[in-house]
Amino acid sequence: MPAAPGGPRLLLRRLREAMAEPVSPQARLDRIVTLIAANVIAEVCSVYVLSNDNILELFATEGLNREAVHLTRMRSDEGLVGLIAQTAEPLSLSDAQSHPAFSYRPETGEEAYHAFLGVPLLRAGNTLGVLVVQNKTYRVYSEEEIEALQTTAMVLSEMIASGELQALAPGSGPATRRAVSQRGVALADGIGLGHVVLHEPRIVIKQLIAENVDREVERLELAIGEVRSAIDDLVERGDSIGTGESREVLETVRMFAHDKGWLRRMREAVQSGLTAEAAVERVQSDNRARMMRQSDPYLRDRLHDLDDLANRLLRTLIGHEGNGERVLPENAILVARSMGPAALLDYDRAKLRGVVLEEGGPTSHIAIVARALGIPAVGEIANATALCDAGDAIIVDGATGEIQVRPGPEIEAAYGEMVRVRAKRQEQYRALRDQPAVTRDGVAIGLQLNAGLLIDLAHLAETGAEGVGLFRTELQFMVAQRMPSAAEQQTLYEAVFAATGDLPVTVRTLDIGGDKILPYMPALEEENPALGWRAIRIGLDRPALLRVQLRALLKAAGGRPLKIMFPMVATVDEFTRAKAIVEREMAHLRRHGHPLPSVCRLGVMVEVPSLLFQIDEIARAADFLSVGSNDLMQFLFAVDRENRRVAGRFDTLSVPALRAFRLIAERAAAAGCPATVCGEIGGKPLEAMALIGLGFRHLSMSPAAIGPVKAMVLNLDASAVADLIETEMARAGDGESLRPALSAFAKAHGVPI
Ligand code: PEP
Ligand code: MG
């Protein structure tokens, strides 16, 4: 086999010179393919670029007919070149023509060639094109040659990504600039049009080709050593990487940091002539390309761990790039892999138009905060951070869970229209603000807000809500850097009461545990955190925490009425014990001469199914009930509320769910105990209509839901929907959903849903 003259290092040096020459992009590309062909001793070297209409176009060739350049175009799944683009893997064949995917293009004159080696042109794991070398003989390319070609490919990828080649194929930009539409899950309603801001800005590699290979090897080794010891320190301290990552993640990152294969590949990339940072990037881009094509969620998570590690290495090599104050452009859409609620709150809200995450379920905290801020948000967009570049135009549709990256003018116009229609609808809702929510047959429905942060309370005046039906106190704890002190808690509650004035507020005691983790509290290793030590269970087992919170609340509410409710109560006894703690605190404050709330009502969240079988007792014991349908449905149907794979397996309007709701409404009414629904379903007009039909008269929901639900109430005949539900429930078979019947009813009666 012929040895490459000078090897990859010489080639890279030549490429560097070629990149610096003041010639046209086409002349540069022609020079590059000639250099590569000469270096690897191939008769042919060709570059195919993937365009934004998914076509692989021959952009330059040494050895094939030159007339075929910009003429030979094939679909991205066509031929051997298409196969490489699809798999993002190198392909080496001693006889290309006998491969089933070989597609013959007479204009190229490639029938004379047998051996074929192609590698993908990758950037951040995305395929931008394919680089091919061919030989007349039936030769086998060595591992070193494949490696060298991949290194060379990186230089070409950067050239494509820089947009330099765009002028060569008018009308079709390179694939990275392609319009992309992706669907994830809707996290926070609303439509946002703006430009991408990467939450973690991509690290820009300014120099790809090494000037001194030995020095680059040294830099890489030093950086690896530094990163390893930093991770070891973190693991030993049992610390988190800042954003609350668990020990388990750290251990995995540590394992990768010692992975021999990974280190070897980076060393080889440096040996072949890349700078240390370019080598890290190259190896990570290959990893990304491979793992992105995996559907296994476990492997995708490992990709994140590897990304973390590669980014740490890059930051060590290049240094932190001004991680200070981020100045947002107007109409910023944040794109992140994941983000905590505190990070979101750090941004200038006035400029934020949307949030796109690779992770994040609908009931995650970031979703709750985005909803509170009124920022459209979408989660579970695979690979979002690699898909977008800073500054790209992007649209976030928080209603459907879709994003449009670099949208064409028609898409942009369609969304612009949608925004106008929505704004008009919002105006109509605002017009309903001061109108009482009373059905056509005179039934008053109390519509209240769910809130958790002070900023939420501005929505009270905006929406005309009658009060706060659920104040989630854990949000203050979740966005804090450390446990809020008694004084800090009291200050927050005082501010809440000041903002709500005479309107009633129902405050829920700390609902932490399960998925609601406090970054400063040691994480518990639990097999089933949703069923574990959480909410009132922590409050009863560690009463100090609960007592501090209750005292802060009682003091803050001095002189005004107060409603407190307890989350995740599973037995009447738990409520009785919680109530005793409140009474003890009241007695303590009374003894010390503090003003007490004028009236203090104690309620229970009905969200553990065991309460359905103690419903009469709990309705007698508590001053009020509030149905936490998010958890109640999760436990009733054994369907994890965070797990999208099982989310569609049951319907909240199916007969078993409706029977549970009906039981609560009927028994609470019989005991004279007011009952509210404060889970997400209360904010959906069709579901809210069903709840009214079942007898609920109080609903608490996110601010954006008040308008649509009120519009529904104003057009509803409560007794008619009650009759319909009664008949349908009697008729329906087990498990059947009443959704179609309820939708038909709404349509027939002109009820907007
Ligand atoms: C619920 O479970 O329905 C609820 C309102 O509480 P959270 O969503 O905070 O668990
Ligand atoms: Mg709950």
Side-chain angles (χ1 to χ4, degrees):
M1 188 194 322
R9 286 193 204 175
L10 179 69
L11 174 59
L12 282 183
R13 208 172 319 137
R14 294 261 154 83
L15 288 182
R16 193 174 57 211
E17 287 156 15
M19 299 296 273
E21 275 169 34
V23 292
S24 72
Q26 184 68 58
R28 193 189 321 286
L29 206 55
D30 292 343
R31 172 101 185 104
I32 288 174
V33 289
T34 311
L35 283 172
I36 299 173
N39 186 272
V40 298
I41 313 192
E43 284 93 19
V44 172
C45 174
S46 314
V47 175
Y48 297 83
V49 176
L50 185 64
S51 67
N52 65 16
D53 46 6
N54 246 347
I55 296 290
L56 281 159
E57 178 174 324
L58 181 65
F59 260 54
T61 186
E62 164 71 27
L64 297 185
N65 292 338
R66 292 272 172 139
E67 293 73 46
V69 170
H70 298 304
L71 255 182
T72 296
R73 304 179 86 232
M74 46 203 170
R75 287 193 327 269
S76 65
D77 58 354
E78 203 183 331
L80 296 174
V81 173
L83 186 63
I84 296 164
Q86 295 291 314
T87 57
E89 300 267 8
L91 180 65
S92 167
L93 301 167
S94 57
D95 181 17
Q97 296 179 28
S98 64
H99 191 285
F102 180 78
S103 138
Y104 176 57
R105 289 304 185 107
E107 74 274 15
T108 61
E110 71 184 316
E111 61 276 16
Y113 304 100
H114 293 285
F116 173 105
L117 168 61
V119 298
L121 302 175
L122 295 174
R123 187 159 184 263
N126 294 313
T127 303
L128 306 186
V130 176
L131 172 63
V132 174
V133 293
Q134 289 170 279
N135 283 81
K136 283 192 174 145
T137 52
Y138 293 86
R139 61 168 293 203
V140 177
Y141 297 96
S142 69
E143 281 298 320
E144 291 74 41
E145 282 170 311
I146 299 172
E147 171 68 27
L149 204 64
Q150 281 181 286
T151 300
T152 315
M154 188 167 177
V155 178
L156 283 165
S157 301
E158 286 304 314
M159 201 173 159
I160 298 171
S162 72
E164 188 181 339
L165 303 184
Q166 204 147 355
L168 304 184
S172 61
T176 37
R177 315 308 313 147
R178 189 171 39 203
V180 177
S181 166
Q182 263 211 49
R183 181 179 282 243
V185 293
L187 299 184
D189 194 20
I191 292 173
L193 284 84
H195 294 275
V196 170
V197 171
L198 292 171
H199 175 52
E200 288 182 337
R202 209 168 284 145
I203 296 165
V204 182
I205 297 174
K206 299 208 177 76
Q207 198 179 338
L208 294 176
I209 303 170
E211 280 175 17
N212 178 338
V213 170
D214 293 341
R215 211 177 77 75
E216 294 303 317
V217 172
E218 210 175 290
R219 287 182 67 226
L220 180 70
E221 298 298 338
L222 268 175
I224 290 170
E226 233 176 88
V227 166
R228 272 185 184 168
S229 65
I231 295 172
D232 288 347
D233 278 358
L234 281 176
V235 175
E236 262 140 50
R237 285 210 313 270
D239 228 349
S240 67
I241 319 177
T243 46
E245 279 132 305
S246 69
R247 189 182 176 85
E248 201 181 317
V249 172
L250 270 180
E251 291 282 10
T252 316
V253 173
R254 172 150 81 170
M255 190 188 80
F256 281 132
H258 290 266
D259 182 81
K260 290 205 174 67
W262 183 64
L263 297 169
R264 180 182 45 77
R265 284 161 61 211
M266 286 192 301
R267 284 184 186 126
E268 281 171 3
V270 173
Q271 291 291 356
S272 71
L274 290 179
T275 57
E277 48 271 36
V280 176
E281 174 79 19
R282 214 216 84 192
V283 171
Q284 186 52 13
S285 196
D286 289 352
N287 284 336
R288 241 182 186 270
R290 211 165 331 114
M291 288 168 113
M292 269 159 52
R293 284 162 177 78
Q294 302 280 349
S295 53
D296 183 340
Y298 175 79
L299 282 178
R300 281 177 169 273
D301 281 350
R302 299 292 71 79
L303 169 62
H304 289 164
D305 298 338
L306 259 177
D307 264 345
D308 263 349
L309 189 58
N311 284 335
R312 274 162 182 272
L313 256 182
L314 287 175
R315 279 197 301 269
T316 309
L317 283 162
I318 299 179
H320 293 265
E321 309 241 311
N323 225 359
E325 183 99 332
R326 293 285 299 279
V327 181
L328 284 185
E330 298 295 328
N331 302 333
I333 308 261
L334 271 184
V335 179
R337 209 174 75 198
S338 66
M339 197 195 275
L344 181 59
L345 288 166
D346 273 349
Y347 283 97
D348 178 357
R349 202 183 140 207
K351 292 181 176 166
L352 270 187
R353 293 286 170 275
V355 175
V356 177
L357 301 176
E358 291 185 7
E359 298 171 356
T363 43
S364 61
H365 311 123
I366 182 88
I368 290 170
V369 172
R371 251 173 262 152
L373 295 171
I375 300 172
V378 169
E380 292 192 28
I381 298 285
N383 209 27
T385 51
L387 210 65
C388 311
D389 275 327
D392 279 348
I394 183 169
I395 299 171
V396 179
D397 186 341
T400 61
E402 270 169 286
I403 63 161
Q404 309 285 343
V405 188
R406 299 176 286 271
E410 301 86 33
I411 302 258
E412 214 162 283
Y415 274 96
E417 182 54 27
M418 238 187 272
V419 169
R420 276 186 290 280
V421 170
R422 277 177 160 252
K424 210 153 146 209
R425 215 183 302 146
Q426 287 305 325
E427 226 169 85
Q428 289 162 353
Y429 294 145
R430 263 197 295 278
L432 301 179
R433 198 188 71 154
D434 300 320
Q435 216 168 312
V438 178
T439 62
R440 288 221 302 254
D441 52 341
V443 179
I445 308 295
L447 303 183
Q448 298 197 311
L449 275 191
N450 290 349
L453 296 166
L454 264 184
I455 43 171
D456 296 339
L457 301 176
H459 297 300
L460 270 175
E462 261 165 44
T463 58
E466 290 177 15
V468 177
L470 164 65
F471 190 86
R472 291 179 161 106
T473 55
E474 60 275 8
L475 288 196
Q476 182 201 15
F477 287 70
M478 277 158 43
V479 299
Q481 300 301 319
R482 54 179 173 75
M483 182 73 82
S485 66
E488 283 166 341
Q489 292 184 46
Q490 188 179 333
T491 306
L492 172 79
Y493 304 141
E494 279 165 359
V496 169
F497 296 135
T500 46
D502 290 336
L503 296 175
V505 186
T506 304
V507 182
R508 178 173 75 183
T509 61
L510 208 48
D511 185 5
I512 50 167
D515 68 314
K516 296 177 185 170
I517 316 281
L518 302 185
Y520 41 84
M521 261 175 77
L524 280 182
E525 300 286 333
E526 290 187 309
E527 282 289 324
N528 294 301
L531 308 179
W533 200 54
R534 50 178 298 198
I536 193 67
R537 301 168 186 187
I538 301 181
L540 293 175
D541 293 350
R542 296 269 186 282
L545 197 63
L546 182 58
R547 265 206 314 265
V548 169
Q549 184 178 31
L550 289 171
R551 194 174 295 179
L553 258 174
L554 292 166
K555 278 182 170 174
R560 60 164 284 151
L562 175 63
K563 289 171 87 179
I564 300 175
M565 66 179 170
F566 301 101
M568 293 294 294
V569 169
T571 64
V572 178
D573 174 60
E574 283 179 336
F575 172 66
T576 312
R577 287 163 58 202
K579 185 173 170 176
I581 298 177
V582 179
E583 281 165 357
R584 228 173 299 144
E585 281 310 309
M586 295 253 265
H588 171 86
L589 292 179
R590 199 177 295 120
R591 262 200 317 277
H592 288 82
H594 286 288
L596 290 174
S598 57
V599 41
C600 183
R601 296 195 191 287
L602 300 180
V604 168
M605 295 273 298
V606 182
E607 51 185 352
V608 180
S610 61
L611 279 191
L612 298 179
F613 305 97
Q614 308 161 75
I615 194 70
D616 295 326
E617 293 85 345
I618 200 73
R620 275 199 301 272
D623 295 325
F624 63 92
L625 301 179
S626 190
V627 185
S629 54
N630 305 340
D631 277 315
L632 185 62
M633 293 297 118
Q634 146 162 279
F635 297 127
L636 200 58
F637 288 94
V639 163
D640 182 349
R641 62 192 266 186
E642 299 268 349
N643 185 339
R644 212 154 56 100
R645 222 179 285 170
V646 292
R649 301 193 72 87
F650 78 96
D651 189 352
T652 46
L653 294 179
S654 62
V655 171
L658 294 179
R659 280 187 189 156
F661 288 119
R662 184 171 64 183
L663 178 79
I664 302 165
E666 282 180 359
R667 299 300 174 82
C673 178
T676 301
V677 177
C678 66
E680 293 301 306
I681 69 164
K684 297 179 182 163
L686 183 70
E687 280 80 348
M689 182 180 89
L691 292 170
I692 293 169
L694 291 167
F696 285 98
R697 297 294 175 256
H698 301 277
L699 304 171
S700 191
M701 61 201 71
S702 59
I706 298 270
V709 171
K710 192 188 270 189
M712 177 277 290
V713 168
L714 294 174
N715 288 285
L716 181 68
D717 186 329
S719 65
V721 76
D723 290 348
L724 172 88
I725 290 187
E726 199 177 310
T727 323
E728 283 296 314
M729 280 178 78
R731 180 204 57 77
D734 280 351
E736 192 179 323
S737 174
L738 297 200
R739 191 172 293 276
L742 286 161
S743 304
F745 169 90
K747 198 162 174 212
H749 292 78
V751 183
I753 49 164

